[in-house]
Amino acid sequence: MDAEFPHPMKGITLKVISVLVFVCMSTLIKAAGTEIATGQITFYRSAFAMVPILGYLAFKGHLRTAFHTRDILGHLARGFIGILAMSFGFYGLVHLPLPEAIAIGYAMPLLAVVFAAFFLKETVRVYRWSAVLIGLVGVTIITWPRLTLLREGGFGSGEALGALAVLLSAALGAVAMVLVRKLIAKERTHTIVLYFSLSASCFSLLTLPFGWDPLPWNSFFLLMAAGFCGGVAQILLTQSYRYADMSTIAPFEYTSIILGLLIGYFLFDEVPTGVMLIGTAIVVAAGIFIIFREHQLGLERKGARKHVTPQG
């Protein structure tokens, strides 16, 4: 049993529950309707996420220290990029079938490998580069039928724009991941989580003059519940990393596609196409290979440290 992570099953359970709650959040946003301004959706998602986050921090006694930061500009940059990623992702979510939006979003960890290599100067060898390229081929297979609608319907095609929006969301999300990795070096986890919700709420308010309308009560409660779910899911995800290492729990992110397929079929009458399923299988396989390779490299680095002769 790993002394550092003594409860891997607890970590896996928390991860799977967090995935379930995130998918519930996406379902609630999709059910709220396609006529709501994206900035308005983003505000509700961010603002109401703070309710469980602040409650959890208060319960753990971290509320006061969570506001202490040494890099406010870093948090603002991460918040701005993150809110753009979220906005594009929500636009795609309401214009695409749920499982397709989830599957295209899997491009984010693939692109994060690329950005980490260029911006953080991390070493990425041929195995991971190959997996990234194969995974992006899978993303292309999923999105191609939607993107061809641009030739037929122009930029008036909601599905084509939705696919482009989710791709852009994945790219921006990968940039946000790089920024978070820089913040982790000097900031507490709960500080990063809190400042993201704060900055995202403030930035999304800037879109108030652009298409915000009074919400029907059912849409209001759906978006409020979506925000609350987002906050709960973030807490569960953060806690999962306390009980198991990332390489152990990361593959369980892909359970979201199973949930997305079931919810899309039974709630929204969305039937997945063969092309979408093939592309998704390729992306998931590439992602799992990257996680496996990261785990191998982590074990090799740990073994190398054990065999280094102490210098006295």
Side-chain angles (χ1 to χ4, degrees):
M1 182 178 290
D2 195 326
E4 187 179 358
F5 297 106
H7 302 292
M9 285 307 301
K10 189 171 184 178
I12 291 169
T13 301
L14 288 170
K15 171 67 175 181
V16 172
I17 296 173
S18 77
V19 169
L20 173 62
V21 180
F22 271 127
V23 173
C24 287
M25 178 200 76
S26 298
T27 303
L28 290 165
I29 290 171
K30 191 172 180 64
T34 60
E35 303 302 319
I36 304 172
T38 303
Q40 197 169 4
I41 297 173
T42 307
F43 172 76
Y44 279 94
R45 157 64 179 89
S46 305
F48 283 99
M50 292 183 63
V51 176
I53 290 173
L54 290 173
Y56 175 76
L57 292 177
F59 174 75
K60 299 292 287 185
H62 296 320
L63 189 56
R64 182 175 297 179
T65 58
F67 285 94
H68 296 165
T69 177
R70 290 172 287 179
D71 190 7
I72 188 63
L73 292 179
H75 287 292
L76 291 175
R78 189 262 168 142
F80 182 71
I81 297 298
I83 203 67
L84 287 177
M86 196 184 293
S87 298
F88 283 114
F90 290 158
Y91 180 89
L93 178 65
V94 298
H95 288 88
L96 286 175
L98 180 61
E100 279 192 37
I102 292 173
I104 297 171
Y106 290 156
M108 183 173 68
L110 301 175
L111 293 173
V113 173
V114 178
F115 294 161
F118 284 102
F119 299 121
L120 299 180
K121 306 303 180 184
E122 292 186 2
T123 301
V124 179
R125 295 185 173 86
V126 64
Y127 292 107
R128 280 187 290 167
W129 279 124
S130 300
V132 167
L133 290 174
I134 292 169
L136 292 178
V137 168
V139 172
T140 303
I141 291 172
I142 298 168
T143 56
W144 190 252
R146 303 295 179 188
L147 296 182
T148 54
L149 293 175
L150 288 172
R151 293 201 301 267
E152 300 170 11
F155 283 99
S157 170
E159 291 184 349
L161 289 179
L164 286 173
V166 178
L167 283 173
L168 186 53
S169 171
L172 290 168
V175 174
M177 288 176 68
V178 172
L179 294 175
V180 168
R181 289 170 83 163
K182 288 185 175 182
L183 284 170
I184 284 174
K186 47 190 171 182
E187 297 285 80
R188 303 177 185 90
T189 301
H190 49 266
T191 299
I192 296 171
V193 171
L194 177 61
Y195 272 97
F196 175 67
S197 292
L198 277 172
S199 58
S201 300
C202 293
F203 283 130
S204 57
L205 270 178
L206 297 177
T207 67
L208 184 60
F210 305 103
W212 283 40
D213 292 314
L215 293 177
W217 281 108
N218 63 322
S219 296
F220 171 78
F221 283 116
L222 286 170
L223 292 182
M224 182 179 69
F228 191 87
C229 285
V232 171
Q234 189 62 56
I235 293 168
L236 291 168
L237 179 63
T238 302
Q239 283 296 103
S240 70
Y241 293 123
R242 295 182 182 275
Y243 298 103
D245 60 32
M246 188 175 295
S247 62
T248 299
I249 65 176
F252 292 91
E253 176 68 32
Y254 295 110
T255 57
S256 61
I257 193 61
I258 300 172
L259 296 170
L261 287 167
L262 292 173
I263 291 172
Y265 181 79
F266 287 107
L267 292 187
F268 302 111
D269 295 322
E270 297 169 347
V271 180
T273 64
V275 170
M276 179 263 172
L277 292 175
I278 291 170
T280 301
I282 293 172
V283 176
V284 170
I288 290 176
F289 179 82
I290 289 173
I291 294 165
F292 172 74
R293 185 61 182 163
E294 288 285 353
H295 180 65
Q296 274 192 321
L297 292 173
L299 292 176
E300 289 174 7
R301 286 191 290 266
K302 186 183 292 186
R305 285 196 297 268
K306 286 182 179 179
H307 289 89
V308 172
T309 304
Q311 301 296 314

